[in-house]
Amino acid sequence: MIDLSVNFGGIKAPNPFWLASAPPTNSGYQIMKAFDAGWGGAVWKTLGVPVVNVSSRYGSVNYRNTKMMGFNNIELITDRPLADNLREIEEVKKYFPDHAVIASLMVESRAEWEQIIKDVQNAGADGIELNFGCPHGMCERGMGSAVGQEPEVLKTIVGWVKEAANIPVITKLSPNISHITDPGLAAVQGGTDSISLINTIKSIVGIDLDSYAPYPIVDGKGSNGGYCGPAVKPIAMHMLKDLAQHPEIGKVPLSGIGGIETWRDVVEFILLGATSVQVCTAVMHYGFGIVREMEAGLRQFMEEKNYNTIYDFAGKALPNVTEWKHLNLKHKVVAEINPDKCIGCDLCYISCDDGAHQAIALSDDPTNRIPSIIEENCVGCNLCSLVCPVEDCITMVKKDDGTESLTWNERTLNDDIPVTFDDDRAGGKGHFVPTPQDALKHRK
C-alpha cells in the first residue's frame, strides 16, 4: 500500500508536493485552491514589512517551441499587509488542518524576527521558512541573498529564530554562492530543523533590441532578477547532492526546489535526497492541476519499483554520484546507428565532425543517406545520440567486458599520469585527427 505522506523535519503533510514561496502562494484563495487540487503543502509568499512592487515583473527565455524554458522574476516579497496574510493563514488551516502551511519570513532586526514569529505561530502556521535567497531588491536592503551569502550572519539569524520559534524552522538557501555547503553548514550549526534549496539565480534573461533595456522592462529600464524554471533544474540537483552527501548537513531533511515540472523531476530530486519538493514556475505556466500528473506518475514509479513510501528510495542515487577522479577509465562505449530508424538528416555527422571527434562517415553512394560509425575514432562521447531527432535511433553500446577498472585517482597514486606537455601517456595520443588541410577539401 503506497503512502505518500511525509514528516519533513516535524512538519506533516499528506504528500511531498509543496508550493514554493512565490506568486502562486500570495493569498489564501490560491493556497486553498491548490490544496483542493491535490497539493500537500504550501510555503506562503514571503511575509515581512510590505513592499511596493513594479510593473512589469516577469521575463522569460524561450527555446524554439518551448515557452518559459527559463523564467525571470523581479517581484519582491508580499506587498499585502501582514494582518491580511495572518487572517488568511488561519482560514486555510480551518479548512485544511492536515495540510502543511509554512510561513516564509524576511525581516531585518532581531526584534522584528521575534515579533513576526509570534504572529505566524498564533495564526496556526505549521512551520517557518527563512528566506535567505531572494537575489533582487531585498538583498540591496541587507536581506535575502545578502544573508545567504554570509554564513556567519545566516547562522546568527537562524539561532535567533530557533530561540523564538515553537514550530519547525526551514532555512532556504541562495544558489548565488561558490560553495552551497558553506551556508548549509551554517544553517545546521545555527540549529535549523531542515533546509530548502535552491532559491532563484541572479540573472538577466535578455535585452530589448529597440530600447536596449533588460527584460522585464520598467519604463525603459530593467534590473537583474531571479532565474528559475526548467533551465535551472541541473543546478538545483547538483547543489542538493552537495548538501545530501555532506556528513553533517545530510542529517537534516532537505526540500528540493528548482525546475520541477513533472513526476520524473520529483523522483529525481527524491533520489538525490529530497524528502519534499517545492514548485513555482510550472504552476505559473500550467496551473495547480499539474499536481495530478505528478502524483499519478510518482505512484506508478513506486508501484513498479515496489516502494511503499518515498523514504524507501530517498537518496538512493547518492552512492552513484562521485568525483570524476573515481570514474572507470576502462569503461568503453561506442555509438551504433539503427539503419531502420535513421531518416538521413545527417545531424549526427555534422555534430560529430564539427563539434566532436570525426567518428561518423557519410556514404559515397548518393542513394544511401545513412551515416556509419568509424568505431576506432569513436570515444563514446554521446553527442550523436543526444542530437539525433529519432528516439533510440542512435544508442551507445558497451564494448568493454566489465572485468577491468582503473580510475584517474588510482593512476595518480601509481604515478601513471601525464606530467609533461607531450607525455606519451596522454589519453588522445595516437587518436586519429584529420589534418588541418582536410577541412578545405570540400571547398567549392
Side-chain angles (χ1 to χ4, degrees):
M1 182 75 173
I2 290 176
D3 178 8
L4 293 183
S5 65
V6 296
N7 185 332
F8 184 80
I11 302 172
K12 295 180 180 179
N15 62 52
F17 310 116
W18 295 4
L19 294 173
S21 173
T25 61
N26 185 54
S27 67
Y29 164 81
Q30 290 167 287
I31 291 175
M32 285 179 59
K33 186 177 179 182
F35 286 171
D36 194 48
W39 294 88
V43 185
W44 210 278
K45 185 171 173 65
T46 302
L47 307 177
V49 177
V51 301
V52 178
N53 275 302
V54 296
S55 175
S56 60
R57 303 178 187 180
Y58 308 138
S60 73
V61 175
N62 304 326
Y63 183 72
R64 295 188 177 174
N65 294 324
T66 301
K67 297 281 283 184
M68 283 173 52
M69 176 198 75
F71 188 69
N72 188 26
N73 174 17
I74 63 170
E75 187 171 293
L76 304 181
I77 68 171
T78 186
D79 55 8
R80 305 173 65 220
L82 180 60
D84 292 353
N85 285 290
L86 296 174
R87 185 180 63 253
E88 291 177 14
I89 289 174
E90 285 190 59
E91 193 73 9
V92 171
K93 287 303 295 182
K94 287 177 186 175
Y95 281 88
F96 294 93
D98 297 327
H99 286 60
V101 175
I102 297 99
S104 174
L105 306 179
M106 184 195 295
V107 290
E108 293 186 73
S109 70
R110 183 169 189 169
E112 286 176 321
W113 279 109
E114 291 172 349
Q115 182 59 54
I116 201 168
I117 287 166
K118 287 180 184 177
D119 291 338
V120 297
Q121 286 181 163
N122 290 337
D126 298 293
I128 295 166
E129 184 178 82
L130 311 181
N131 183 346
F132 295 149
C134 182
H136 54 278
M138 306 309 293
C139 57
E140 297 159 18
R141 309 176 197 183
M143 295 179 280
S145 63
V147 176
Q149 292 167 337
E150 294 289 344
E152 285 302 313
V153 177
L154 183 152
K155 178 181 174 181
T156 298
I157 297 177
V158 171
W160 293 349
V161 173
K162 282 297 295 178
E163 284 184 31
N166 298 320
I167 54 179
V169 175
I170 306 169
T171 302
K172 188 173 186 178
L173 302 185
S174 169
N176 302 293
I177 193 164
S178 298
H179 303 290
I180 194 67
T181 51
D182 292 343
L185 186 58
V188 171
Q189 292 171 344
T192 193
D193 296 293
S194 55
I195 290 173
S196 61
L197 77 161
I198 60 174
N199 208 311
T200 54
I201 299 169
K202 206 164 192 171
S203 64
I204 290 177
V205 292
I207 301 293
D208 182 81
L209 300 187
D210 293 315
S211 67
Y212 307 134
Y215 298 114
I217 301 170
V218 182
D219 193 24
K221 304 288 184 182
S223 178
N224 67 273
Y227 194 52
C228 50
V232 310
K233 178 188 165 190
I235 299 167
M237 290 200 298
H238 170 71
M239 291 188 168
L240 171 64
K241 175 271 302 180
D242 279 354
L243 295 193
Q245 288 186 332
H246 191 280
E248 292 182 60
I249 305 170
K251 294 177 182 178
V252 305
L254 302 172
S255 185
I257 313 169
I260 298 170
E261 189 172 286
T262 69
W263 71 266
R264 184 183 178 113
D265 298 332
V266 173
V267 169
E268 289 177 354
F269 272 77
I270 295 172
L271 287 169
L272 286 173
T275 48
S276 78
V277 294
Q278 297 185 32
V279 181
C280 166
T281 308
V283 166
M284 295 179 76
H285 197 171
Y286 301 109
F288 294 127
I290 62 168
V291 73
R292 291 188 286 271
E293 182 272 343
M294 287 180 177
E295 180 172 341
L298 176 59
R299 285 185 178 276
Q300 183 175 342
F301 170 81
M302 291 173 67
E303 285 175 7
E304 291 175 354
K305 300 292 185 180
N306 251 349
Y307 297 133
N308 294 318
T309 75
I310 67 164
Y311 300 100
D312 294 337
F313 63 98
K316 208 170 181 66
L318 292 173
N320 297 325
V321 185
T322 187
E323 293 182 65
W324 185 94
K325 66 182 179 180
H326 297 307
L327 299 176
N328 184 10
L329 298 171
K330 294 293 185 179
H331 179 67
K332 174 69 174 176
V333 293
V334 299
E336 186 176 272
I337 299 172
N338 185 336
D340 295 328
K341 290 190 173 185
C342 181
I343 60 175
C345 69
D346 293 345
L347 190 55
C348 61
Y349 166 77
I350 293 168
S351 64
C352 182
D353 210 62
D354 291 358
H357 296 279
Q358 300 80 51
I360 297 180
L362 298 178
S363 173
D364 292 329
D365 180 357
T367 65
N368 178 16
R369 292 188 55 83
I370 299 174
S372 59
I373 303 297
I374 307 171
E375 191 165 319
E376 58 269 27
N377 291 1
C378 181
V379 300
C381 72
N382 301 346
L383 179 61
C384 57
S385 66
L386 296 174
V387 303
C388 180
V390 180
E391 193 74 23
D392 294 329
C393 177
I394 302 179
T395 53
M396 305 307 295
V397 180
K398 190 174 187 294
K399 291 295 182 179
D400 67 288
D401 61 9
T403 60
E404 290 186 277
S405 178
L406 182 64
T407 67
W408 178 262
N409 189 55
E410 290 168 337
R411 287 191 61 166
T412 302
L413 294 174
N414 293 331
D415 196 23
D416 185 28
I417 59 171
V419 292
T420 63
F421 292 129
D422 296 307
D423 201 305
D424 286 339
R425 293 169 292 189
K429 184 175 176 65
H431 183 83
F432 171 77
V433 177
T435 67
Q437 292 78 12
D438 286 341
L440 308 179
K441 282 184 176 180
H442 300 292
R443 178 190 276 182
K444 294 181 180 179

